[in-house]
Amino acid sequence: MSTAMPQFEMPPQAEGTARPDAAGASLADEAPRADTADPLRPDSPAPDPPRPEQPSGPRRRFGWRQLLIAGLAGVMAGGAIPAALQSLDDSAASAQVEGLRTVALEYLTAIATGRAGVATQLAPVHGDGRVAPDAVLQSADPITDYAVQLVQVDGGSGSADVRYRVGGIEVFRALEARLVDGEWSLRTSLAEVADVTFGDPIARVQVAGVPLAGTPPVLLYPGSYRVDAFSGPFFLSGGDEFVVDGDARTPTAPYVTAGVVPRIRDLATELALDTVADCQMRARCPVGHGLRLLPVGEPYPVDADAEGGAIDLAVPIMALDGQDTQWFDVRLRAVLDADGAPAEWLCGEPGAGADELHACRL
């Protein structure tokens, strides 16, 4: 169906009275009207151009400026959506980074302030071992200058690079972490085992009253520790310092000084010299007759039988005559009573083994 307006031809406008026919038309009628264009007159106005046919309904017309503005608005609106989403992602990532940084700093602070229990909650230990109580960590010289340097987050996993000073050295560690139920949990523990496997047989290795030997092993957090000093009726030990740096790649093996009390030291030395002197009186003694005997060091423990209540000592002796010098140890065994004091002494000749001892004679 066409939308063009129907065309009509309008009748000529009447001039005053009824218009005569064409033959009797007056000259006035034939003269052009003032508002009618005369193509022969130069001052005559130009005729109106013919109007094109218009559609029946109203139509809005847009220019190039409107189209350009609309296009720019669309581009801006389309770009704002991903920018807003990116902003949300950046905010969430930043919050996770700061959350892990906070947990790592709380962990170092707990260690520095002697709160071993809190530190273990933030970074549970894995495998065998039991963390020493707070009193042990509080007895140590704490870590200092601790800080969280770099934090990286990748989805539900992350890591925090930390540093601290302990025992005069600077330590750098990376703490791995995992996001659990919206909270960061550290997967790397700084607690270490203090290896006392090779300690002295009579040494009593304990810190703040807590023995470090036994099963399961005791775990210590970074700090500078001191072994408890002990002095009994027979031996003394402890007082040594050792450092736990929190790095399993550098094992902690405390060295513990152990020895006998002065009274036992003097008695053991006298027994050893008398035993060698008696040996020199016999022809088969490995130490020649007439050689002068001198102690050259303090007695030191070589074995301990906790169940039998006995301790074996070695007393270093030197024999010399001006030209020849001999060095050897004399083995002694002290059998202890219920109070830890020696109730019996067994002695061995120079070079004798643990099964070749006899009652000592003074």
Side-chain angles (χ1 to χ4, degrees):
M1 179 178 180
S2 175
T3 58
M5 293 290 291
Q7 302 297 314
F8 296 94
E9 183 176 353
M10 300 299 292
Q13 184 175 356
E15 295 289 342
T17 60
R19 190 179 178 88
D21 56 13
S26 65
L27 294 175
D29 293 335
E30 295 176 358
R33 294 175 55 187
D35 57 351
T36 302
D38 186 354
L40 300 178
R41 294 177 58 186
D43 58 346
S44 175
D48 294 335
R51 295 182 179 181
E53 295 182 358
Q54 299 294 327
S56 60
R59 173 183 292 179
R60 296 183 62 184
R61 302 180 64 183
F62 293 90
W64 66 270
R65 291 183 178 86
Q66 287 81 0
L67 293 176
L68 179 58
I69 293 173
L72 290 175
V75 171
M76 294 177 63
I81 293 175
L85 295 177
Q86 182 65 40
S87 178
L88 291 176
D89 290 343
D90 292 344
S91 298
S94 178
Q96 288 187 355
V97 168
E98 290 306 313
L100 179 52
R101 183 185 301 275
T102 299
V103 172
L105 186 59
E106 288 178 355
Y107 182 59
L108 295 178
T109 302
I111 295 174
T113 54
R115 295 176 294 158
V118 173
T120 305
Q121 291 177 356
L122 295 172
V125 298
H126 303 282
D128 295 335
R130 51 191 174 92
V131 175
D134 289 0
V136 175
L137 183 55
Q138 292 168 3
S139 72
D141 293 335
I143 62 173
T144 59
D145 300 333
Y146 55 91
V148 180
Q149 294 185 306
L150 176 65
V151 176
Q152 301 181 68
V153 171
D154 183 9
S157 301
S159 65
D161 293 342
V162 302
R163 68 170 176 83
Y164 50 87
R165 293 187 64 84
V166 59
I169 60 175
E170 193 167 27
V171 180
F172 297 88
R173 292 297 315 276
L175 305 180
E176 301 296 327
R178 187 172 298 278
L179 199 59
V180 180
D181 296 331
E183 300 290 338
W184 285 108
S185 176
L186 298 178
R187 310 291 292 176
T188 304
S189 175
L190 298 179
E192 275 193 79
V193 174
D195 186 3
V196 295
T197 304
F198 301 101
D200 197 284
I202 67 171
R204 179 175 295 186
V205 188
Q206 60 185 32
V207 176
V210 177
L212 300 186
T215 304
V218 177
L219 301 176
L220 302 176
Y221 282 110
S224 297
Y225 296 83
R226 181 184 297 273
V227 178
D228 294 347
F230 173 81
S231 179
F234 187 87
F235 64 90
L236 50 83
S237 68
D240 305 273
E241 294 183 356
F242 66 97
V243 175
V244 176
D245 62 7
D247 190 346
R249 296 169 298 181
T250 56
T252 300
Y255 175 78
V256 183
T257 301
V260 296
V261 297
R263 184 179 67 84
I264 298 298
R265 178 198 60 203
D266 295 342
L267 177 58
T269 300
E270 183 179 358
L271 289 173
L273 290 173
D274 287 347
T275 300
V276 176
D278 289 343
C279 175
Q280 287 178 305
M281 302 299 295
R282 297 188 294 273
R284 292 184 299 176
C285 182
V287 181
H289 180 72
L291 295 179
R292 190 158 57 97
L293 305 176
L294 293 174
V296 291
E298 295 190 358
Y300 59 93
V302 293
D303 196 9
D305 181 5
E307 294 182 359
I311 297 177
D312 284 13
L313 302 177
V315 183
I317 302 294
M318 179 177 64
L320 67 160
D321 62 359
Q323 296 181 351
D324 188 19
T325 301
Q326 292 179 272
W327 301 77
F328 52 86
D329 288 341
V330 176
R331 190 177 186 117
L332 306 178
R333 177 175 299 159
V335 180
L336 308 181
D337 59 19
D339 296 328
E344 181 183 3
W345 286 95
L346 301 178
C347 298
E349 294 183 354
D355 55 348
E356 300 175 294
L357 304 182
H358 55 77
C360 300
R361 296 184 296 272
L362 287 176

